[in-house]
Amino acid sequence: MEQSEVLKRVIGILTEAGDYRRRIEEDGEQGPRDTEIGIVTALLNETMPHIRIPADATPQEMATLVAREVGGAIRQLVAAFSLAFLALAQVHDSGEPDMSSADVLRDLALRAEEAKGDGPQAPQG
């Protein structure tokens, strides 16, 4: 999966989390819904590689294979969450009252769409 797509998925998760937090504050609703758990599961299913492990692989060979295959996907996820966090933190730290977290995430999603395939762009502040 391209980094820009991973970033857009992460933005979707953060947006859903913000909506969930607002619902709790407004309605006192508790506990995650299936759709909120499902979006995270879908992201993991789409970003984590399917690994074929030979039947005769030793435990060390299996560990090396899993680490090599899963490592790249984990780096993609960490990079996307880190970029989103930094974009949100920069706006927070600037004290800009006219910019909501939803606005920041929307802007980041638009930049991810423009950069398709180039990897995440540094947040502008």
Side-chain angles (χ1 to χ4, degrees):
M1 181 179 287
E2 289 184 17
Q3 186 65 34
S4 61
E5 185 62 30
V6 173
L7 179 58
K8 288 188 287 183
R9 295 299 186 110
V10 165
I11 291 166
I13 289 171
L14 294 173
T15 301
E16 286 286 325
D19 292 345
Y20 177 65
R21 181 190 53 88
R22 280 187 285 286
R23 281 196 306 273
I24 289 174
E25 289 172 356
E26 292 170 2
D27 306 334
E29 178 183 319
Q30 298 291 323
R33 293 183 178 172
D34 290 341
T35 56
E36 290 151 350
I37 293 170
I39 193 170
V40 174
T41 301
L43 174 67
L44 291 174
N45 286 338
E46 291 171 8
T47 56
M48 291 297 145
H50 297 278
I51 304 169
R52 295 185 191 271
I53 298 174
D56 61 344
T58 66
Q60 182 60 41
E61 291 168 336
M62 191 179 334
T64 301
L65 179 62
V66 170
R68 184 179 65 231
E69 296 296 320
V70 174
I74 290 172
R75 281 189 296 277
Q76 272 191 314
L77 286 170
V78 168
F81 274 105
S82 297
L83 180 63
F85 172 82
L86 287 174
L88 291 164
Q90 282 182 340
V91 170
H92 175 270
D93 291 348
S94 74
E96 231 180 286
D98 297 341
M99 182 75 89
S100 71
S101 60
D103 293 335
V104 173
L105 292 174
R106 196 172 13 262
D107 178 62
L108 195 55
L110 290 172
R111 287 191 283 142
E113 186 62 32
E114 291 170 0
K116 213 167 196 136
D118 295 337
Q121 302 298 307
Q124 299 170 0

